Amino acid sequence: MSKVAVILAGCGVYDGAEINEAVLSLLCLEQQGASYQCFAPDREQMHVINHLSGEPAEGESRNVLVEAARIARGNIKPLAEARVEDFDALLVPGGFGAAKNLCDFAVAGENMTVQEDFLQLARGFHRAGKPIGLICIAPVMAAAICGEGTRCTVGNDPDVAAAINAMGGQHLECPVTEARVDAEKKMVTTPAYMLAGSVAEAYAGIGDCVKEVLALA
């Protein structure tokens, strides 16, 4: 049985992990016979968004780990405790938290930097030859993790694709129900809610992503 480290970036599409993507990722792992442990950075998130209005919540702050614990039903550990040797693969659901709390792509675009603890862990998986799955907007970090020429997808968003290419990646177009595999780099990506118009569409693509990650493990 493969064991997968799942990295959550908070709770909620606009400032944390996309909840549907996170839950579907865990469901697909279980359905395909894998076990998992959730982790999240123990740090303040970039900002807090009111998910009803879509506007920033002025004067409010939240912790990424504490918020992510809502999705994981409390069964979550600080990112700093994750060890490459304990797992067979790494999986990162999307949501703006991936672009705000794991890196700063949401504000810096192609000049982004990746949060150091996450970058060290992800690069550790890559160096160990263990597969990595990135979902939704998280593939913007693919080249930073696996190096120049890493092939990945966010679907067909031209601006994000251009940024991925500018950062050294190679963007591949992909329908929502599929994933794209860079077998050499052991990188698997899927668009999910970069394209999905329904939970079912996101589920199909995430299921394909998880299947391909486990096949490489």
Side-chain angles (χ1 to χ4, degrees):
M1 176 187 288
S2 295
K3 187 172 184 181
V4 180
V6 178
I7 309 302
L8 302 178
C11 180
V13 57
Y14 298 128
D15 57 12
E18 211 293 325
I19 295 170
N20 290 346
E21 290 179 3
V23 174
L24 291 172
S25 295
L26 302 183
L27 173 62
C28 289
L29 286 168
E30 289 189 6
Q31 288 177 328
Q32 298 186 40
S35 64
Y36 58 83
Q37 174 62 55
C38 294
F39 296 91
D42 187 6
R43 59 194 292 260
E44 295 303 299
Q45 53 188 63
M46 190 185 96
H47 59 186
V48 178
I49 298 294
N50 179 324
H51 279 60
L52 186 61
S53 67
E55 298 297 323
E58 298 298 333
E60 189 172 344
S61 64
R62 298 188 184 186
N63 178 279
V64 178
L65 176 61
V66 172
E67 290 300 295
R70 295 174 180 270
I71 297 174
R73 295 172 58 86
N75 183 16
I76 194 166
K77 297 179 180 181
L79 179 63
E81 295 182 13
R83 299 288 180 265
V84 174
E85 56 268 25
D86 294 338
F87 298 94
D88 302 298
L90 180 70
L91 188 65
V92 185
F96 276 106
K100 292 178 177 180
N101 303 325
L102 298 182
C103 70
D104 59 1
F105 180 80
V107 293
E110 66 187 63
N111 298 310
M112 74 167 191
T113 57
V114 181
Q115 199 263 340
E116 190 60 32
D117 287 347
F118 172 73
L119 184 61
Q120 288 184 7
L121 178 70
R123 284 179 172 173
F125 273 86
H126 178 60
R127 287 193 299 270
K130 296 181 178 182
I132 299 168
L134 302 179
I135 296 168
C136 189
I137 193 64
V140 297
M141 299 182 284
I145 294 166
C146 295
E148 189 84 16
T150 302
R151 297 185 294 277
C152 62
T153 190
V154 292
N156 58 16
D157 186 294
D159 293 333
V160 180
I164 285 171
N165 293 337
M167 292 186 289
Q170 180 183 342
H171 184 266
L172 308 172
E173 290 203 0
C174 179
V176 65
T177 56
E178 298 178 10
R180 290 291 178 260
V181 181
D182 185 328
E184 179 185 354
K185 303 281 191 178
K186 291 195 171 184
M187 171 63 67
V188 185
T189 53
T190 191
Y193 277 102
M194 290 294 290
L195 284 180
S198 67
V199 176
E201 287 184 346
Y203 174 54
I206 290 169
D208 195 38
C209 178
V210 169
K211 179 189 74 174
E212 297 292 352
V213 167
L214 295 178
L216 291 170

